[in-house]
Amino acid sequence: MVSYKLRLKSIDYTLKQYVDSSLYESEDISVGEATSDYLRDSTAALMQELYKLHTEHPTFGVLGAELTLYRLPHALDSARLLANRGLLLEVLPILRLCLEMMAWASVAFRLQDEEKIVALRAQSCMSEVKRFYQTAGNIYGYLSKFSHWGHVVHGEFLSIADDGVAVVNASVRYRAMSLGLCLVILDVFVEVIRELYPSSSEALIATIQGSLIRDADRKTHQFLKKIANITQLNDINEICSLAC
């Protein structure tokens, strides 16, 4: 009845006629939200661009490699979703799997012998990634640190105070670390694509990194730097050092 009496045509019309937009401040997007959005958009772009890179008449090795790479963005996005919940322990094995998938694909892509491809173990392929991404071994070691459960892990997930001990399941710190590690894995993934498709990966690289040059201005590096500046955490600095 009030809307009818005032002759209000729509919400947009009402806002324009009666509300001064300058009275309300727009909410700033946090670094965590911006990073998560970037990772989400990147995984969507990867799916689209990887499809374009598909080899028409692939060998057995190329087929296996491309199927592996095409599956990888989904795993990375799953890690992002868990990271947004402030989880770390649950994120690490997924990102470790992503790195193993990349390593396996990098070797299988160039193999001709089907028996060798079938017998290929991801752990033994990491040296191939290290050839063009020097810190790949360090990343694998970091992600493997908590993948196998043992007493040494307990101290990382316990909060000890005078009045007792608490188990930390989720935290803002964990979210920052997990999102940072997702960025590192994305950074490696881009370089794997560059290595396997040197003459046709420019569009993918530019979409994800904002440029074709692998330097400090690339987007993954910039987001890592923002997280490090905001948090001032030694954990984040260590993660940043993994992105060579």
Side-chain angles (χ1 to χ4, degrees):
M1 181 65 72
V2 173
S3 298
Y4 176 78
K5 291 292 185 181
L6 291 176
R7 297 181 180 179
L8 303 181
K9 299 178 181 178
S10 66
I11 292 176
D12 290 338
Y13 174 81
T14 306
L15 288 172
K16 290 177 182 178
Q17 290 294 111
Y18 300 105
V19 179
D20 183 358
S21 60
S22 65
L23 296 176
Y24 298 90
E25 296 181 2
S26 59
E27 293 184 4
D28 292 331
I29 299 176
S30 70
V31 172
E33 290 172 339
T35 302
S36 178
D37 289 348
Y38 166 68
L39 287 166
R40 179 202 61 208
D41 294 343
S42 293
T43 54
L46 283 168
M47 295 295 289
Q48 181 178 356
E49 294 299 328
L50 284 170
Y51 184 79
K52 296 176 183 177
L53 295 176
H54 173 67
T55 305
E56 280 194 30
H57 303 289
T59 62
F60 185 72
V62 170
L63 177 62
E66 291 189 340
L67 288 173
T68 300
L69 295 176
Y70 196 73
R71 183 66 174 74
L72 201 148
H74 175 73
L76 180 56
D77 197 53
S78 297
R80 176 190 69 87
L81 292 172
L82 291 174
N84 281 336
R85 294 177 58 185
L87 303 178
L88 177 64
L89 177 62
E90 296 79 3
V91 173
L92 295 174
I94 298 177
L95 295 181
R96 184 174 183 262
L97 173 65
C98 289
L99 190 58
E100 288 186 344
M101 292 168 73
M102 285 185 247
W104 189 93
S106 296
V107 175
F109 192 87
R110 294 191 170 92
L111 283 180
Q112 301 296 323
D113 191 320
E114 292 189 12
E115 290 185 2
K116 288 184 178 180
I117 295 168
V118 172
L120 200 59
R121 292 173 57 85
Q123 296 91 331
S124 63
C125 300
M126 204 56 61
S127 59
E128 172 63 15
V129 183
K130 288 168 62 177
R131 185 176 59 79
F132 54 85
Y133 204 98
Q134 296 179 355
T135 57
N138 296 334
I139 298 170
Y140 192 60
Y142 187 100
L143 297 174
S144 300
K145 189 176 179 181
F146 305 119
S147 293
H148 304 290
W149 194 260
H151 177 72
V152 68
V153 181
H154 296 177
E156 297 293 332
F157 301 95
L158 295 176
S159 177
I160 302 173
D162 294 337
D163 56 347
V165 178
V167 176
V168 180
N169 291 321
S171 71
V172 175
R173 170 174 164 259
Y174 287 173
R175 186 191 186 205
M177 293 174 66
S178 291
L179 287 175
L181 288 167
C182 286
L183 288 168
V184 171
I185 293 300
L186 177 59
D187 196 60
V188 179
F189 194 21
V190 170
E191 296 312 313
V192 168
I193 299 302
R194 191 199 300 269
E195 179 69 16
L196 298 183
Y197 304 94
S199 61
S200 54
S201 58
E202 291 85 358
L204 184 150
I205 296 169
T207 298
I208 304 300
Q209 297 288 32
S211 77
L212 297 176
I213 303 173
R214 185 180 172 189
D215 57 16
D217 291 329
R218 67 190 191 275
K219 287 185 179 180
T220 48
H221 188 274
Q222 288 298 309
F223 275 101
L224 279 168
K225 188 164 66 173
K226 288 178 182 178
I227 296 174
N229 290 339
I230 289 292
T231 62
Q232 296 293 308
L233 291 172
N234 291 332
D235 294 312
I236 301 298
N237 291 330
E238 183 179 2
I239 290 171
C240 288
S241 71
L242 298 174
C244 64

